[in-house]
Protein backbone atom coordinates (compact mmCIF):
# COMPACT_ATOMS: atom_id res chain seq x y z
CA UNK A 1 0.00 0.00 0.00
CA UNK A 2 1.29 3.41 -0.90
CA UNK A 3 -0.77 6.47 -0.09
CA UNK A 4 -0.66 9.72 1.91
CA UNK A 5 -0.67 7.77 5.21
CA UNK A 6 1.15 4.49 4.57
CA UNK A 7 4.04 2.99 2.63
CA UNK A 8 3.77 -0.72 3.25
CA UNK A 9 5.17 -3.85 1.59
CA UNK A 10 6.34 -7.44 1.97
CA UNK A 11 9.89 -8.57 1.24
CA UNK A 12 10.60 -12.17 0.29
CA UNK A 13 14.02 -13.81 0.24
CA UNK A 14 14.55 -17.28 -1.21
CA UNK A 15 17.83 -19.12 -0.67
CA UNK A 16 18.92 -22.50 -1.88
CA UNK A 17 22.18 -24.23 -1.09
CA UNK A 18 23.67 -27.44 -2.41
CA UNK A 19 22.86 -30.45 -0.31
CA UNK A 20 19.38 -29.22 0.58
CA UNK A 21 16.28 -30.74 -0.92
CA UNK A 22 14.32 -27.51 -0.66
CA UNK A 23 15.23 -23.87 -0.59
CA UNK A 24 14.25 -21.58 2.24
CA UNK A 25 11.87 -18.63 1.97
CA UNK A 26 12.02 -15.83 4.52
CA UNK A 27 9.36 -13.15 4.69
CA UNK A 28 9.57 -9.69 6.19
CA UNK A 29 6.86 -7.05 6.39
CA UNK A 30 7.30 -3.30 6.56
CA UNK A 31 4.81 -0.55 7.29
CA UNK A 32 6.00 3.06 7.33
CA UNK A 33 4.25 6.34 7.98
CA UNK A 34 4.28 8.34 4.75
CA UNK A 35 4.20 11.49 6.84
CA UNK A 36 7.19 10.84 9.13
CA UNK A 37 9.08 8.00 7.44
CA UNK A 38 9.04 6.06 10.73
CA UNK A 39 8.37 2.34 10.74
CA UNK A 40 5.06 1.75 12.48
CA UNK A 41 4.39 -0.78 15.21
CA UNK A 42 1.05 -2.50 15.57
CA UNK A 43 0.51 -0.50 18.76
CA UNK A 44 0.74 2.70 16.65
CA UNK A 45 -2.20 1.78 14.42
CA UNK A 46 -4.67 0.05 16.75
CA UNK A 47 -6.94 1.55 19.41
CA UNK A 48 -6.53 -1.22 21.99
CA UNK A 49 -3.66 -3.63 21.37
CA UNK A 50 -4.96 -6.36 23.70
CA UNK A 51 -8.38 -6.38 22.03
CA UNK A 52 -6.73 -6.43 18.59
CA UNK A 53 -4.38 -9.30 19.54
CA UNK A 54 -7.29 -11.41 20.78
CA UNK A 55 -9.38 -10.66 17.70
CA UNK A 56 -6.56 -11.26 15.19
CA UNK A 57 -5.49 -14.51 16.88
CA UNK A 58 -9.05 -15.86 16.89
CA UNK A 59 -9.64 -14.76 13.29
CA UNK A 60 -6.50 -16.49 12.02
CA UNK A 61 -7.06 -19.63 14.11
CA UNK A 62 -10.57 -19.98 12.65
CA UNK A 63 -9.26 -19.67 9.09
CA UNK A 64 -6.43 -22.14 9.78
CA UNK A 65 -8.84 -24.66 11.32
CA UNK A 66 -11.24 -24.31 8.38
CA UNK A 67 -8.38 -24.99 5.96
CA UNK A 68 -7.25 -27.99 7.96
CA UNK A 69 -10.82 -29.36 8.12
CA UNK A 70 -11.08 -28.90 4.34
CA UNK A 71 -7.90 -30.96 3.91
CA UNK A 72 -5.80 -28.07 2.61
CA UNK A 73 -3.01 -28.71 5.14
CA UNK A 74 -2.23 -30.10 8.59
CA UNK A 75 -1.54 -27.70 11.45
CA UNK A 76 1.16 -28.28 14.02
CA UNK A 77 -0.16 -29.06 17.49
CA UNK A 78 1.15 -25.73 18.85
CA UNK A 79 -0.32 -23.62 16.02
CA UNK A 80 -2.60 -21.65 18.38
CA UNK A 81 0.24 -20.38 20.56
CA UNK A 82 2.38 -19.60 17.50
CA UNK A 83 -0.45 -17.56 15.97
CA UNK A 84 -1.04 -15.72 19.25
CA UNK A 85 2.62 -14.71 19.53
CA UNK A 86 3.07 -13.89 15.82
CA UNK A 87 0.23 -11.34 15.72
CA UNK A 88 2.22 -9.32 18.28
CA UNK A 89 5.49 -9.35 16.33
CA UNK A 90 6.59 -6.27 14.44
CA UNK A 91 7.95 -7.20 11.05
CA UNK A 92 5.25 -9.84 10.57
CA UNK A 93 2.40 -7.62 9.37
CA UNK A 94 1.72 -4.86 6.89
CA UNK A 95 -1.24 -2.93 5.53
CA UNK A 96 -2.42 -3.62 1.98
CA UNK A 97 -5.04 -1.82 -0.10
CA UNK A 98 -7.65 -4.28 1.22
CA UNK A 99 -6.61 -5.19 4.77
CA UNK A 100 -3.91 -6.12 7.25
CA UNK A 101 -1.74 -9.07 6.20
CA UNK A 102 0.06 -11.24 8.74
CA UNK A 103 2.95 -13.48 7.62
CA UNK A 104 4.01 -16.90 8.88
CA UNK A 105 7.28 -18.47 7.84
CA UNK A 106 7.41 -21.97 6.40
CA UNK A 107 7.35 -24.60 9.15
CA UNK A 108 5.81 -22.30 11.77
CA UNK A 109 2.16 -23.34 11.82
CA UNK A 110 2.10 -25.92 9.00
CA UNK A 111 4.65 -28.33 7.61
CA UNK A 112 7.55 -26.89 5.61
CA UNK A 113 6.30 -28.40 2.34
CA UNK A 114 3.23 -26.14 2.43
CA UNK A 115 5.53 -23.12 2.37
CA UNK A 116 5.11 -19.75 4.00
CA UNK A 117 1.56 -18.78 4.87
CA UNK A 118 -0.20 -15.46 5.16
CA UNK A 119 -3.63 -14.32 6.25
CA UNK A 120 -5.19 -11.02 5.30
CA UNK A 121 -7.81 -9.57 7.62
CA UNK A 122 -10.08 -7.26 5.58
CA UNK A 123 -10.53 -3.66 6.73
CA UNK A 124 -14.26 -4.38 7.11
CA UNK A 125 -13.35 -6.75 9.97
CA UNK A 126 -10.90 -4.27 11.53
CA UNK A 127 -13.04 -1.14 11.91
CA UNK A 128 -13.36 -1.68 15.68
CA UNK A 129 -9.61 -2.19 16.10
CA UNK A 130 -7.68 0.03 13.69
CA UNK A 131 -7.45 3.76 14.18
CA UNK A 132 -9.68 5.40 11.56
CA UNK A 133 -6.81 7.20 9.83
CA UNK A 134 -5.27 3.87 8.79
CA UNK A 135 -8.38 2.55 7.07
CA UNK A 136 -8.39 3.68 3.42
CA UNK A 137 -11.41 5.69 2.29
Amino acid sequence: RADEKIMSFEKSLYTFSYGNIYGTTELEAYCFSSETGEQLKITDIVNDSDAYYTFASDYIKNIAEEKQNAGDFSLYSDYASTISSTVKDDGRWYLTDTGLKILFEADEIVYFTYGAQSVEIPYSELTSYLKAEYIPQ
Side-chain angles (χ1 to χ4, degrees):
R1 177 176 153 186
D3 57 37
E4 65 282 345
K5 281 303 252 186
I6 297 293
M7 171 59 81
S8 190
F9 56 92
E10 174 183 332
K11 178 179 156 188
S12 177
L13 173 67
Y14 180 81
T15 57
F16 180 82
S17 62
Y18 291 103
N20 290 340
I21 295 173
Y22 303 103
T24 302
T25 301
E26 295 177 29
L27 302 174
E28 295 176 356
Y30 298 93
C31 189
F32 296 95
S33 166
S34 295
E35 296 166 337
T36 66
E38 297 291 320
Q39 188 167 358
L40 297 171
K41 297 178 179 172
I42 199 72
T43 53
D44 296 328
I45 68 165
V46 298
N47 296 310
D48 177 343
S49 58
D50 290 334
Y52 163 76
Y53 295 144
T54 299
F55 164 76
S57 294
D58 291 345
Y59 187 92
I60 295 168
K61 287 175 200 173
N62 287 336
I63 288 175
E65 290 164 0
E66 287 174 9
K67 287 185 162 219
Q68 178 173 261
N69 292 339
D72 293 343
F73 52 62
S74 296
L75 293 163
Y76 283 134
S77 61
D78 65 344
Y79 76 96
S81 63
T82 302
I83 290 170
S84 293
S85 64
T86 301
V87 298
K88 297 176 183 178
D89 289 347
D90 291 321
R92 301 300 288 275
W93 65 273
Y94 66 103
L95 296 172
T96 70
D97 290 334
T98 55
L100 187 147
K101 189 176 264 191
I102 300 170
L103 308 175
F104 297 90
E105 300 290 353
D107 213 32
E108 273 193 311
I109 58 173
V110 296
Y111 293 100
F112 180 84
T113 54
Y114 293 110
Q117 302 292 311
S118 66
V119 174
E120 184 170 85
I121 304 173
Y123 287 117
S124 61
E125 299 288 330
L126 293 166
T127 55
S128 300
Y129 305 98
L130 282 184
K131 293 178 182 174
E133 67 256 30
Y134 295 107
I135 298 175
Q137 302 304 322

